[in-house]
Amino acid sequence: MIAAFTRGPDDTVLVDLRSAEARLLADLFGDLLELLAEEDPQSLRPNQTDPLAAQLGLDGLGDDTPPARPDDPALARLFPDAYPDDPDATAEFRRYTQADLTTERRRRANVALETLDRIKGGGRLSLIPVEAAAWLGALNDLRLVLGTRLEITSDDQEPGQDFGPADPRTAYIPVYYYLGYLQETLVEALSA
């Protein structure tokens, strides 16, 4: 039986994870953190030079050089261009948001990892609402990354439909579906 999130008492969300599921999720969240390490918030927040940013409390956002669009397609999917037809507006948007978005994505993945540590070897995981919300965001981030790696470009596309039988990415197709199932049951549990 595959794990599913359910509503528990006192607004908690519960999931019973087998050892293999807990290890898989811990590995995936760890991989996500490694990928996000490529987007170092400190490098995205150079020296303060913009007086307006300083007045608004946007420390370190004053450099006129905004962060570049990520080269890695998965990171580019996590941090898409806000204004695809306006490179200047997109650059300005990245300048003021990308470091915080990176930090938030890392926080969510860390919350998921920390909560998984409570059930080393598998078992029942009980999440309070703030932890469940972090899990929801981290699962979404994982699906976006994996979907990019599986070359999914539309909602109606089957993952791996253009892969050959020897393509090693086919091993990740069931993982993609598993993450989608977890995400769906978590949304249902949070909505109940």
Side-chain angles (χ1 to χ4, degrees):
M1 184 72 151
I2 295 176
F5 285 95
T6 58
R7 190 66 166 204
D10 301 324
D11 290 330
T12 59
V13 174
L14 307 172
V15 64
D16 291 311
L17 295 171
R18 292 175 295 178
S19 177
E21 291 173 297
R23 279 194 315 272
L24 172 66
L25 289 167
D27 287 346
L28 290 171
F29 289 129
D31 290 347
L32 178 61
L33 284 169
E34 285 181 27
L35 179 66
L36 291 170
E38 295 176 24
E39 289 296 303
D40 180 13
Q42 296 310 313
S43 69
L44 298 176
R45 290 185 170 187
N47 297 330
Q48 176 83 27
T49 59
D50 184 343
L52 178 60
Q55 279 185 320
L56 294 175
L58 302 172
D59 295 334
L61 298 176
D63 188 356
D64 289 334
T65 308
R69 185 174 200 272
D71 291 331
D72 184 314
L75 284 172
R77 181 68 180 100
L78 288 175
F79 304 101
D81 292 339
Y83 306 96
D85 298 329
D86 189 342
D88 292 334
T90 292
E92 197 67 4
F93 183 81
R94 283 189 193 285
R95 176 178 172 219
Y96 288 103
T97 62
Q98 192 152 330
D100 289 337
L101 291 173
T102 302
T103 300
E104 176 59 14
R105 290 183 192 288
R106 284 183 182 165
R107 183 197 67 77
R108 295 187 308 218
N110 275 314
V111 167
L113 275 175
E114 290 165 6
T115 56
L116 280 170
D117 274 347
R118 293 188 282 208
I119 59 159
K120 291 179 181 166
R124 175 163 282 183
L125 180 62
S126 177
L127 303 173
I128 61 172
V130 69
E131 293 168 335
W135 264 79
L136 187 59
L139 286 170
N140 187 61
D141 292 344
L142 284 176
R143 288 195 73 232
L144 287 172
V145 169
L146 198 51
T148 301
R149 301 287 192 238
L150 294 173
E151 299 179 11
I152 298 172
T153 57
S154 66
D155 289 340
D156 60 346
Q157 181 182 350
E158 290 294 319
Q161 68 186 23
D162 298 327
F163 296 171
D167 193 313
R169 294 176 293 174
T170 58
Y172 292 99
I173 294 171
V175 175
Y176 179 78
Y177 284 118
Y178 172 67
L179 293 173
Y181 175 75
L182 282 178
Q183 188 177 22
E184 180 181 340
T185 64
L186 181 51
V187 167
E188 290 171 0
L190 288 170
S191 302

